[in-house]
Amino acid sequence: MKQLKAHFLTTIMTKMLGVLIFLALGICDTAVAQQESLRLKYFGAAGWEIQDGNLTVLIDPYISRLKLGTGPGVSPKDKRKTVERSDAYVSDTLLIDSIITKADFILAHHSHFDHLGDVPYIAKKTGAKVIGTETSCNILRAYGIPNEQLYPVKGGEDYQFENFSIKVIPTLHSALNDKHYIDSRTYTEVPEAPLKVSEFIEGGSLMFLIRFKRHSVLTMGSMNFIERELLGQEPDILLAGVNRSQLGLYKYNERLLKVTNNPGIIIPTHWDNFRLPYGFSQEAGIEQKLIPFKEDVKRLSPKSKVLIPEHLKTIIID
Ligand SMILES: [Zn+2]
């Protein structure tokens, strides 16, 4: 009888142990799956937060979304203060604090306010390392960001960091003003802070190929590119510049998709009206810019999947 009881107890304990191990493995599995998927949160304009495990990389994080000027881009329902290009740039620090808590790296495509305006505050607050042009780095120095935090680049660099690598790619700014745009100014010395909105000059333009553990992401901050600089790059995720100015370029979608070897996932970027605060409808942009783009991709690269991002929502890619 005693033997039977002992056997019964051993069986129960073995079974319980089995259940515990199964549960522990299950929890680990879920944790590993979450750790391994790439998470992309859209900030609007050309701004992104990309997380791979514990690594957080921000791209052109523009959160303040200034109510700039009085043109058709602003809404009478937006009760914020109107800002002019001749005004000093002021970040909405409360809003930034509610959205950004941590960053290891910030990548800046160019130095216009809708790309770099909030970077001085975010770099100071998070201590993130910033990769950008000499102009971007000099603007950040003006706001007291130390050299140890800055990686000035020209395009062509290919840098290995602890858990990822970044290839910096030279590119062209969007062909604004119906192709009449060019701005060759740079800051070769540190300007005086605070800068006016208009003093966030382009300072040259970059793209980035970010190689994470299981995914590579090619980022754009403008609606333009230099075809030969993209030859041989085969990202699995493309953040494609989509707005209006690319419509004046020769076969933009076709050349972009072909030279990047038809990426599996394509996410349009810099397509929204960034003069409107978060929470305002962006339906017009989706209908007029993204739906035609999606249709075109379907025709040109049927296996590619176009994902339409929403402000402050996260896209998870396994
Ligand atoms: Zn720009």
Side-chain angles (χ1 to χ4, degrees):
M1 189 63 191
K2 249 185 197 168
Q3 258 181 0
L4 204 67
K5 220 177 190 175
H7 175 72
F8 178 71
L9 276 173
T10 318
T11 314
I12 291 275
M13 279 168 75
T14 313
K15 276 194 177 154
M16 276 171 68
L17 196 66
V19 168
L20 277 174
I21 290 171
F22 176 77
L23 278 174
L25 282 176
I27 290 164
C28 284
D29 268 3
T30 317
V32 168
Q34 274 177 356
Q35 283 276 308
E36 284 186 353
S37 45
L38 198 71
R39 300 182 302 289
L40 300 100
K41 186 191 278 184
Y42 186 44
F43 291 146
W48 293 88
E49 176 192 79
I50 308 182
Q51 291 185 307
D52 184 34
N54 293 323
L55 173 70
T56 303
V57 178
L58 306 182
I59 321 279
D60 291 359
Y62 178 53
I63 308 296
S64 296
R65 303 174 70 80
L66 304 182
K67 186 185 175 188
L68 192 68
T70 49
V74 299
S75 162
K77 286 190 200 142
D78 179 2
K79 300 300 177 203
R80 299 176 304 163
K81 184 176 159 275
T82 298
V83 178
E84 301 297 339
R85 286 182 189 271
S86 52
D87 292 338
Y89 184 94
V90 181
S91 285
D92 187 338
T93 55
L94 277 178
L95 185 60
I96 295 173
D97 288 348
S98 71
I99 292 170
I100 294 175
T101 51
K102 174 198 178 250
D104 300 301
F105 281 84
I106 302 171
L107 313 186
H109 287 124
H110 63 271
S111 311
H112 280 150
F113 73 94
D114 54 319
H115 300 256
L116 198 73
D118 287 337
V119 175
Y121 178 74
I122 297 169
K124 201 174 279 181
K125 160 194 159 88
T126 59
K129 308 257 196 288
V130 183
I131 301 180
T133 61
E134 184 187 21
T135 294
S136 291
C137 290
N138 274 330
I139 292 174
L140 291 164
R141 288 184 185 109
Y143 286 89
I145 307 302
N147 283 330
E148 303 83 74
Q149 245 175 283
L150 301 173
Y151 293 94
V153 290
K154 292 174 82 167
E157 296 85 353
D158 205 339
Y159 287 158
Q160 179 66 51
F161 294 101
E162 204 176 327
N163 288 315
F164 72 117
S165 64
I166 296 182
K167 186 179 176 71
V168 186
I169 300 169
T171 191
L172 299 167
H173 192 273
S174 301
L176 299 178
N177 307 336
D178 199 15
K179 307 191 204 51
H180 295 289
Y181 169 88
I182 192 147
D183 188 351
S184 312
R185 292 174 297 166
T186 55
Y187 289 127
T188 54
E189 284 171 25
V190 179
E192 205 177 305
L195 271 71
K196 293 173 183 160
V197 175
S198 61
E199 289 171 332
F200 282 87
I201 56 173
E202 180 202 333
S205 285
L206 304 167
M207 287 173 66
F208 300 100
L209 178 76
I210 318 168
R211 304 181 198 92
F212 293 102
K213 280 201 198 89
R214 294 169 57 240
H215 295 285
S216 60
V217 183
L218 181 62
T219 72
M220 297 179 80
S222 267
M223 281 45 84
N224 211 341
F225 58 95
I226 303 172
E227 203 166 333
R228 66 169 184 273
E229 296 290 352
L230 298 180
L231 276 174
Q233 309 307 332
E234 298 188 359
D236 45 289
I237 301 160
L238 169 65
L239 302 183
V242 176
N243 205 311
R244 268 188 231 281
S245 60
Q246 83 279 6
L247 300 175
L249 303 186
Y250 176 68
K251 295 187 176 177
Y252 176 88
N253 293 343
E254 188 176 329
R255 289 190 299 118
L256 179 62
L257 296 179
K258 194 174 169 202
V259 76
T260 53
N261 197 29
N262 306 309
I265 294 171
I266 299 172
I267 311 175
T269 190
H270 216 343
W271 55 271
D272 66 332
N273 175 357
F274 57 73
R275 287 175 174 78
L276 296 177
Y278 295 125
F280 277 57
S281 172
Q282 295 286 348
E283 273 308 309
I286 295 175
E287 251 169 62
Q288 289 159 20
K289 303 169 193 171
L290 302 194
I291 300 298
F293 174 74
K294 203 172 171 174
E295 289 296 313
D296 216 25
V297 173
K298 205 174 174 185
R299 180 177 65 79
L300 295 164
S301 176
K303 286 188 183 151
S304 300
K305 199 170 167 187
V306 176
L307 304 176
I308 293 183
E310 283 178 63
H311 286 162
L312 307 178
K313 297 268 168 68
T314 302
I315 295 170
I316 297 174
I317 295 170
D318 287 325

